[in-house]
Amino acid sequence: MRNNFKKLALGAIASVVLAAPFATQAVRADEPLKIGFLVKMPEQAWFINEQKAATALGKQDGFTVVNIGTPDGEKVLSAIDNLGAQGAKGFVICAPDVRLGPAIRARAKQYNMKFVTVDDQLVDSSGKPLADVPHLGMSASKIGNQVGQAIADEMKHRGWKPEEVGALQITDYELPTAKARTDGATAALLASGFPQANIFNAPQKTTDDEGGFNAVSPVLSQHPNIKKWVIYALNEESVLGGVRATEQLHIPGTDVIGVGINGAGEAFAEFQKKEPTGFYGTIAVSSTNHGKDSTQNLVDWITKGKQPPADTQTTGKLMVRSNWLQVRQDLGI
Ligand code: FCA
């Protein structure tokens, strides 16, 4: 009786041990390479496309990509634990908060995993980028400049007088790439002769449609005298939210020029609407290449010991109703 109990207890302990932290060691060396692809907003078309591109590369080259949505810090850390338990050798990440940098680095180290960042570069406790983590993202200020220039050009084309126009700058100052993008747009707008006094800050809480809508609505109500608006933000989702807020107040689409960044599903849907809306265009960047190239960098690092480039900056192209299909094709989105 006593002996049987002992056996049972030992058996139970053994299976727990196998299932938990030692699972990594149980993964056989000849198993195909597994990596993770973690994104902060798994429902956003940009990120869906990045993960799709990573998965396609894995299918082509014989490795597995585990796609995980990690909207908060806790989910990021448990996703890394989960990947570690599955024997994954590394991951690509766009984190929900860039200040998670040191925590993510420490957790990856526990499992001896390599990782690279995509889109949003991680920072340390003093706000400096984590220089030892390879990054691939947009050339943020340049793409911001393109947004501002596109708005200035379209204002000219419509014959708008800058002094009669309000600019809604939807901002997220906690995310460095977001700040660089909107600062870049503002700089180009000012350089075109737009009055500084007519630029209004609309801080957003989340970098999506809802965040854009909630940021813009109160600013619009504070300025009922302004009849024409231009809108920009870190991405097209936020700009679309802003455009929806103008529609709510019955401001005609012809009196709004919204220009976003990304070039993904929501912009395509907008360009396919029968009547043009206040969403004029977007600076399209290849989410396909972001997903594919960041994954390739990570895989080469794991399998060949090839150190990825420290900081890759990608470029964008203005996409509007008249050329969206062509630009989409050119960028392989
Ligand atoms: C940030 C934004 C995304 C996308 C990406 C490249 O993460 O939130 O919408 O623009 O950069």
Side-chain angles (χ1 to χ4, degrees), residues 16-59:
V16 165
V17 163
L18 274 181
F22 296 97
T24 348
Q25 291 170 8
V27 172
R28 290 183 14 226
D30 58 353
E31 271 189 20
L33 171 66
K34 188 182 274 184
I35 61 156
F37 202 109
L38 281 52
V39 299
K40 62 179 181 180
M41 287 187 169
E43 69 291 342
Q44 204 167 80
W46 171 272
F47 295 111
I48 293 173
N49 202 40
E50 275 186 344
Q51 291 188 321
K52 217 170 89 189
T55 303
L57 183 68
K59 279 225 173 86

Side-chain angles (χ1 to χ4, degrees), residues 247-271:
E247 289 165 355
Q248 177 111 327
L249 293 176
H250 306 291
I251 301 173
T254 44
D255 290 345
V256 176
I257 302 171
V259 175
I261 295 174
N262 276 356
E266 277 200 61
F268 305 158
E270 199 71 9
F271 293 138

Side-chain angles (χ1 to χ4, degrees), residues 133-252:
V133 179
H135 178 67
L136 183 150
M138 291 184 183
S139 46
S141 2
K142 251 196 237 154
I143 287 176
N145 288 160
Q146 284 172 275
V147 169
Q149 193 58 52
I151 291 176
D153 291 347
E154 182 59 15
M155 278 179 54
K156 213 172 180 185
H157 180 239
R158 296 190 192 180
W160 289 9
K161 293 195 192 99
E163 59 277 15
E164 291 173 0
V165 181
L168 286 155
Q169 178 191 228
I170 305 173
T171 54
D172 176 356
Y173 285 159
E174 281 174 16
L175 179 59
T177 183
K179 183 168 191 306
R181 293 178 206 180
T182 47
D183 282 356
T186 301
L189 208 55
L190 289 173
S192 80
F194 198 92
Q196 171 86 63
N198 290 13
I199 301 180
F200 303 101
N201 231 20
Q204 62 182 162
K205 287 210 183 86
T206 52
T207 53
D208 54 7
D209 296 64
E210 195 187 339
F213 185 93
N214 291 339
V216 159
S217 295
V219 185
L220 286 176
S221 342
Q222 281 157 20
H223 301 279
N225 51 322
I226 300 179
K227 305 294 177 209
K228 291 185 167 69
W229 289 98
V230 303
I231 309 176
Y232 53 98
L234 90 154
N235 62 17
E236 65 208 17
E237 290 78 6
S238 306
V239 171
L240 278 163
V243 168
R244 297 290 96 89
T246 61
E247 289 165 355
Q248 177 111 327
L249 293 176
H250 306 291
I251 301 173

